[in-house]
Amino acid sequence: MGQHIRGIAMASSASISFGFIPLFTLPLMAMGILTPSILAYRFLLAAFFLMLILWSKKIDFKITRYEAFLLISLGLIYICSAMGLQLGYLYMPTGIATVIHFTYPIYVILLLFVFYGQRPTLLVMIAIILAFVGVIFITGIGSGAEPIPFGGFLIVAITGLAYASYMVIVNKSVLQHMNNIKLSFYALLFCGIGFLIIAYFWGGIQLIPDAKGWGWMLLLAILSTVVANIMLVEAVKLCGSTLSSVLGALEPLTAVVIGILVFDEPLTPMHLLGIGLIICSVLIISLSGKIAYAWEVWRKRKRL
């Protein structure tokens, strides 16, 4: 029970840390730094800090070929997730982009069903429907307001699938037994190398112009990458990929609040309704076991 509570605390803290990504990223984009350069700096700096931690703790860097294959796969998946989310900021408010990305708990359920035969319950199916209806409201379709471009929506939606794949691989592979810091180091290192290559062909690596820019970059690399990833990996191991993804509800809430308070981003009643439906769907998934148990208890009492 103690491990479960610790896992919940880790997942919640990781989600809040991830929710600060727009706060640190948008000022860098405003300086004219392109997405590949920002992400190359972010993940290579994060890998460097993790390497220092591994050295200080005398943790062995050795990995098997199969582990290397899985870690490279995680790096590629993270590239899709991180780049898609940051590109999404160009098409829509950061809070809305984060909420659409937050549909990843639904993808976790679907991936576990397709690849591991974990059949979703009726409650989970209802939650999936609520989530997709919520996404429709968020995009503004049929609201009379200018809708979010479908291309931008699709880019961010794919990030949810990528992030869900990351969590399932960590939870269902030999990586589950790897040291959290070591796992995060290799995944972020391979991700950073990938973005370095992308940046090279995207006009070259741009220099960070001033100390303020380095400050934003260090916060992005340390708080929203190093700290967030270590806590997420620990949470997935302690309480599973489904519950960890569900507790990610704090991520879009953090991003939405930051978007409104710091960046003066609009939030319409339709957006609020969509966000509410998505959060309800996630809560249904997280509480589905308790709801089903309570229902059975009520039915038995009714028969007596």
Side-chain angles (χ1 to χ4, degrees):
M1 188 65 178
Q3 281 194 338
H4 188 72
I5 293 173
R6 185 168 171 237
I8 290 173
M10 287 284 185
S12 301
S13 300
S15 297
I16 293 172
S17 299
F18 281 125
F20 277 92
I21 289 175
L23 179 63
F24 307 142
T25 301
L26 289 185
L28 293 167
M29 296 174 73
M31 293 176 181
I33 306 176
L34 298 177
T35 294
S37 291
I38 291 175
L39 294 173
Y41 279 115
R42 174 190 172 188
F43 290 111
L44 289 176
L45 281 171
F48 173 74
F49 288 123
L50 287 171
M51 181 182 68
L52 295 179
I53 296 173
L54 288 172
W55 271 340
S56 67
K57 290 181 174 291
K58 301 186 186 322
I59 297 173
D60 188 7
F61 284 84
K62 187 177 179 181
I63 54 175
T64 66
R65 289 184 180 179
Y66 181 59
E67 288 172 339
F69 168 75
L70 289 176
L71 290 164
I72 291 172
S73 299
L74 290 183
L76 293 174
I77 288 170
Y78 219 132
I79 287 174
C80 296
S81 181
M83 189 164 186
L85 183 58
Q86 190 163 316
L87 288 175
Y89 297 160
L90 301 174
Y91 295 94
M92 66 192 80
T94 58
I96 302 303
T98 309
V99 171
I100 295 174
H101 167 74
F102 177 64
T103 54
Y104 67 79
I106 310 302
Y107 293 118
V108 169
I109 298 294
L110 294 176
L111 288 172
L112 290 175
F113 170 65
V114 172
F115 293 103
Y116 298 97
Q118 296 185 15
R119 189 177 297 275
T121 64
L122 177 60
L123 279 173
V124 170
M125 294 301 297
I126 292 171
I128 291 173
I129 293 171
L130 285 177
F132 281 112
V133 172
V135 167
I136 290 173
F137 284 143
I138 285 174
T139 58
I141 297 173
S143 65
E146 184 178 350
I148 292 172
F150 179 75
F153 165 75
L154 188 60
I155 289 171
V156 180
I158 290 173
T159 71
L161 176 59
Y163 194 62
S165 302
Y166 182 96
M167 299 185 75
V168 171
I169 290 173
V170 169
N171 186 235
K172 294 293 184 179
S173 70
V174 295
L175 297 179
Q176 185 180 21
H177 306 293
M178 182 178 287
N179 177 276
N180 300 335
I181 301 173
K182 183 177 176 179
L183 191 159
S184 297
F185 163 71
Y186 278 109
L188 297 181
L189 175 64
F190 292 134
C191 182
I193 292 171
F195 277 120
L196 196 64
I197 296 170
I198 293 171
Y200 177 79
F201 290 101
W202 202 304
I205 293 288
Q206 297 169 280
L207 297 177
I208 299 175
D210 52 32
K212 192 174 182 180
W214 276 107
W216 290 121
M217 183 59 71
L218 288 172
L219 286 170
L220 180 63
I222 296 172
L223 179 62
S224 293
T225 310
V226 173
V227 175
N229 274 278
I230 290 175
M231 289 190 295
L232 175 65
V233 171
E234 179 72 9
V236 170
K237 291 180 179 180
L238 291 174
C239 59
S241 53
T242 300
L243 184 54
S244 296
S245 65
V246 164
L247 290 167
L250 293 172
E251 180 182 344
L253 288 178
T254 303
V256 167
V257 170
I258 289 173
I260 295 170
L261 297 180
V262 180
F263 301 116
D264 295 321
E265 293 179 346
L267 191 65
T268 67
M270 194 68 82
H271 289 157
L272 283 172
L273 181 58
I275 291 170
L277 287 173
I278 289 176
I279 292 174
C280 283
S281 74
V282 173
L283 290 175
I284 289 173
I285 291 173
S286 65
L287 299 173
S288 59
K290 292 183 178 179
I291 293 172
Y293 175 75
W295 173 255
E296 285 299 319
V297 170
W298 180 82
R299 286 182 61 189
K300 289 179 180 178
R301 287 180 179 176
K302 190 176 179 181
R303 289 173 189 165
L304 295 176

